Amino acid sequence: MATFVLVHGPWHGGWCWERVAPLLRAGGHRVETPDLPGHGDDRTLAAEITLRLYTEAMLRFVAGAGEPVVLVGHGTAGAVISQVAEHCPDGVAVLVYLAAFLLRNGESALDVGLTDRDSLLAANLLSYPTQSIIAVRPESLRDVFYHDCTDPTVAGAIARVCPEPIAPAATPISVIPERFGRVRRIYVETRRDHALGTAMQRRMYGTLPCERVLSLDTGHAPFFSAPEELASRLLSV
């Protein structure tokens, strides 16, 4: 039995894993799907949220597991799981980057993401600096995240997405080879991704090689469009 901690990406919450978590649990594994601060049921104000706050929240789940965990991060949560591994390398059995930002020391998700020529995300961002948040144009949510999902799935997801605090994505990560660098890494690429282009994903895991690279023929939200396939990839690690 393993313990999986599934960390959602921006604008989402722990609810996005609702189709995947039961499949992992059916295999006899423990699964945690926490909300990052300011997401889902957590009401932390956006102006108070930092990458450090995200990291500290996830470190609590890792510390409470009682064993090294399989730590999965989606999207910009790749930066979060990297920082968790930096702070607690012995608490993480393996890092799994699901269509996620696998960043080098000193890089931020925002800076790297803005160089992604295949992404529809940058052109559809709405910034609200006085509220410390960024959002995605409502009319573009489907094309950016859910283009391969069913209509009911898209409607349900759009009803639950929330604004995203700016600070975590804009903050460079701080990692060193002796800590983060000694934790096993696996990348799960999404080959039809409109939010984080496949070429960018491959550039990142080419720069920071992973033990294994697994592929899904999906968009950015395989937890909705292909939960069985995603669960199978996660179980294989």
Side-chain angles (χ1 to χ4, degrees):
M1 183 183 77
T3 298
F4 288 83
V5 179
L6 310 180
V7 187
H8 65 83
W11 300 290
H12 290 71
W15 51 265
C16 75
W17 305 106
E18 62 191 8
R19 299 180 185 179
V20 175
L23 299 173
L24 300 178
R25 293 185 180 118
H29 304 288
R30 294 169 54 194
V31 184
E32 299 285 353
T33 60
D35 291 323
L36 288 169
H39 298 73
D41 295 327
D42 188 282
R43 295 293 179 256
T44 306
L45 296 176
E48 300 173 0
I49 297 173
T50 61
L51 179 58
R52 180 176 179 176
L53 191 66
Y54 277 179
T55 303
E56 290 173 347
M58 295 305 101
L59 279 168
R60 288 193 288 273
F61 279 89
V62 171
E67 64 176 349
V69 305
V70 179
L71 187 59
V72 182
H74 178 243
T76 58
V80 179
I81 68 171
S82 292
Q83 291 292 184
V84 170
E86 176 70 15
H87 286 276
C88 186
D90 293 332
V92 182
V94 59
L95 295 164
V96 182
Y97 294 83
L98 171 60
F101 284 90
L102 175 54
L103 303 173
R104 295 173 294 183
N105 182 54
E107 291 182 326
S108 74
L110 185 61
D111 286 344
V112 171
L114 289 176
T115 69
D116 185 356
R117 297 181 179 180
D118 299 321
S119 174
L120 299 180
L121 185 55
N124 288 287
L125 284 178
L126 300 171
S127 179
Y128 301 92
T130 59
Q131 300 175 54
S132 304
I133 59 173
I134 49 177
V136 181
R137 296 180 191 278
E139 66 272 19
S140 300
L141 282 166
R142 179 171 198 145
D143 286 344
V144 174
F145 297 131
Y146 315 121
H147 64 91
D148 58 342
C149 299
T150 64
D151 290 345
T153 296
V154 174
I158 289 176
R160 290 188 284 184
V161 295
C162 63
E164 180 68 18
I166 295 173
T171 302
I173 70 166
S174 178
V175 293
I176 60 174
E178 294 77 12
R179 296 185 66 80
F180 158 75
R182 64 183 171 89
V183 181
R184 295 172 54 210
R185 297 191 298 267
I186 292 175
Y187 202 98
V188 182
E189 67 174 14
T190 42
R191 296 194 298 267
R192 294 191 288 133
D193 201 314
H194 292 177
L196 184 58
T198 306
M200 175 61 75
Q201 295 179 47
R202 291 174 178 173
R203 192 187 87 181
M204 289 188 291
Y205 69 67
T207 302
L208 283 175
C210 296
E211 177 182 305
R212 295 167 63 192
V213 176
L214 309 173
S215 293
L216 290 167
D217 188 30
T218 69
H220 195 61
F223 36 77
F224 290 143
S225 62
E228 293 84 3
E229 290 86 348
L230 174 55
S232 175
R233 302 300 190 279
L234 295 179
L235 289 169
S236 77
V237 310

